[in-house]
Amino acid sequence: MSDDQWTITRFQVKPEEIVLNRTKLLPPYKVIVHNDDYNEMNYVIFALVHAVNTLTVPEAERIMLTAHLNGQAIVIVCPREVAEYYQERLLSYQLTATIEPE
């Protein structure tokens, strides 16, 4: 093995280690949307898709129905600062949203 190959192999980090280190540095938080009696279902779907731009309409519909039937639903799991951002976005659409550690 050449010196260059040995150096590259020596400093490679396994994907599992990256995930573990990232989780330690940025612990995951759940963004939770709560059911309410004020907003129509279509509006909640619209708000979810626009507040969390990674959601598709079918995903937003599933989240809305889960919240409607169970009282709450997890929208997304992400680092705390990002979770706070999504919570604020959901609140700006007049939805009730909270965050909590996963």
Side-chain angles (χ1 to χ4, degrees):
M1 184 182 317
S2 71
D3 287 339
D4 290 337
Q5 289 174 330
W6 184 82
T7 303
I8 291 171
T9 305
R10 186 173 141 212
F11 291 109
Q12 285 182 340
V13 180
K14 296 178 184 172
E16 307 85 45
E17 291 177 27
I18 293 171
V19 171
L20 183 61
N21 289 336
R22 182 174 182 212
T23 303
K24 286 180 184 176
L25 293 172
L26 301 168
Y29 275 72
K30 298 182 285 189
V31 179
I32 301 169
V33 66
H34 299 268
N35 185 46
D36 64 48
D37 296 329
Y38 305 105
N39 296 303
E40 294 184 12
M41 292 180 175
N42 285 335
Y43 176 76
V44 174
I45 295 167
F46 168 85
L48 285 166
V49 169
H50 285 84
V52 183
N53 58 2
T54 58
L55 290 178
T56 64
V57 172
E59 290 170 332
E61 185 175 351
R62 180 188 52 78
I63 292 166
M64 178 277 300
L65 285 172
T66 301
H68 179 69
L69 296 172
N70 299 328
Q72 65 183 27
I74 297 172
V75 177
I76 192 167
V77 177
C78 50
R80 182 178 183 170
E81 289 78 13
V82 179
E84 290 171 347
Y85 169 74
Y86 286 135
Q87 178 190 21
E88 289 297 320
R89 300 249 326 180
L90 291 166
L91 293 172
S92 75
Y93 283 98
Q94 308 306 314
L95 301 181
T96 305
T98 58
I99 64 169
E100 62 183 50
E102 184 176 50

